[in-house]
Amino acid sequence: MRTNVGSVAGLDVTDSVLVLGGYGAVGMHVSRLLAEAGRSVLVGGRDLPRAERLAKSLPMADAAQTDVAVPDSLAAVLARAAMVVNCTGSEDPLLARTVLNSGVDFVDISAATAYLDALSSLHDEATALNARLLVGVGLAPGLSTLLAAGLHRDASAPGSIDITCLLGVGEEAGAASRQWTFGRTGTLFPDPSRSGRTVRNFTQPEVITLPAGFGRRRASRCDWLCMSWPAS
């Protein structure tokens, strides 16, 4: 059994994209889309057999045993990658710094405000290392940001934009996604509309009416979007 990264015919591991959490609920889609787009993919994760099973089903892919809890342990696999996409939900800036210090591009799908701010502070460091740092590429922020920007651009009288996300109406969330979401409960984040004030996640609910048959919902504030559930 391979303990780190193997090789497959035609796979240029020096130009591969390492997807951390590459077999998870989100990571598996990232791995598959990259592979189908013609990129060499390293499916990374602590469970090597799971990573290998997914890698075998993809073109130009291989498996890598990785543990983001020990960033220094990634040195060997980083030497074989041009880019890392973090889909693990781990929010340790040391992971990003370890990747960037290796001259490897770092992409993160996380949404927590404090973590994204910490990553953004690494921008100059990444530039000096000739590496690229990209954050806010998930659903929210990410797709929601593009939608909000488009609405603001096209509005005749731009005002504030509230973003609401419904949980449980699409694909089932993975274990890591559920843990990440529930882990926000009770934590504080800076209020973007009131300087110097903080908001406790999943508080300040208000009833809103959504289109497309979703009806009245009770939405609460959190540091990545407005959460909502059916209003009683």
Side-chain angles (χ1 to χ4, degrees):
M1 178 178 291
R2 289 168 287 177
T3 58
N4 205 302
V5 180
S7 60
V8 293
L11 176 58
D12 181 3
V13 293
T14 62
D15 191 36
S16 297
V17 179
L18 169 62
V19 183
L20 298 173
Y23 49 72
V26 175
M28 66 181 296
H29 293 293
V30 174
S31 297
R32 189 174 303 281
L33 288 170
L34 286 169
E36 291 175 351
R39 292 302 304 265
S40 299
V41 175
L42 297 173
V43 180
R46 288 177 296 181
D47 189 334
L48 184 59
R50 287 186 64 188
E52 288 179 323
R53 285 196 295 273
L54 179 59
K56 288 177 181 178
S57 71
L58 303 176
M60 302 294 288
D62 204 358
Q65 190 170 43
T66 58
D67 186 353
V68 297
V70 189
D72 289 344
S73 69
L74 300 177
V77 67
L78 289 178
R80 303 178 178 183
M83 177 182 293
V84 168
V85 182
N86 180 26
C87 298
T88 65
S90 172
E91 296 172 354
D92 185 358
L94 178 58
L95 172 62
R97 178 171 276 115
T98 299
V99 173
L100 296 171
N101 283 340
S102 300
V104 176
D105 298 337
F106 185 78
V107 180
D108 200 297
I109 68 168
S110 188
T113 302
Y115 175 59
L116 295 183
D117 287 344
L119 290 186
S120 296
S121 70
L122 300 177
H123 177 267
D124 291 343
E125 184 177 332
T127 300
L129 294 166
N130 197 31
R132 291 170 291 187
L133 172 65
L134 185 61
V135 298
V137 297
L139 171 63
L143 178 59
S144 64
T145 310
L146 296 176
L147 292 172
L151 287 171
H152 186 273
R153 182 191 62 241
D154 297 338
S156 57
S160 63
I161 298 175
D162 293 326
I163 298 173
T164 302
C165 182
L166 297 176
L167 297 184
V169 296
E171 296 180 351
E172 181 179 354
S177 296
R178 293 194 296 270
Q179 181 180 4
W180 185 92
T181 300
F182 294 131
R184 311 258 77 76
T185 304
T187 59
L188 300 174
F189 65 94
D191 189 337
S193 62
R194 304 177 68 180
S195 179
R197 303 291 293 273
T198 58
V199 181
R200 191 174 300 278
N201 273 299
F202 305 120
T203 62
Q204 301 184 17
E206 62 177 282
V207 175
I208 61 176
T209 301
L210 298 176
F214 288 108
R216 286 162 54 84
R217 301 274 172 160
R218 191 183 305 276
S220 293
R221 296 187 65 188
C222 66
D223 62 345
W224 53 296
L225 41 72
C226 289
M227 308 295 294
S228 67
W229 57 92
S232 58

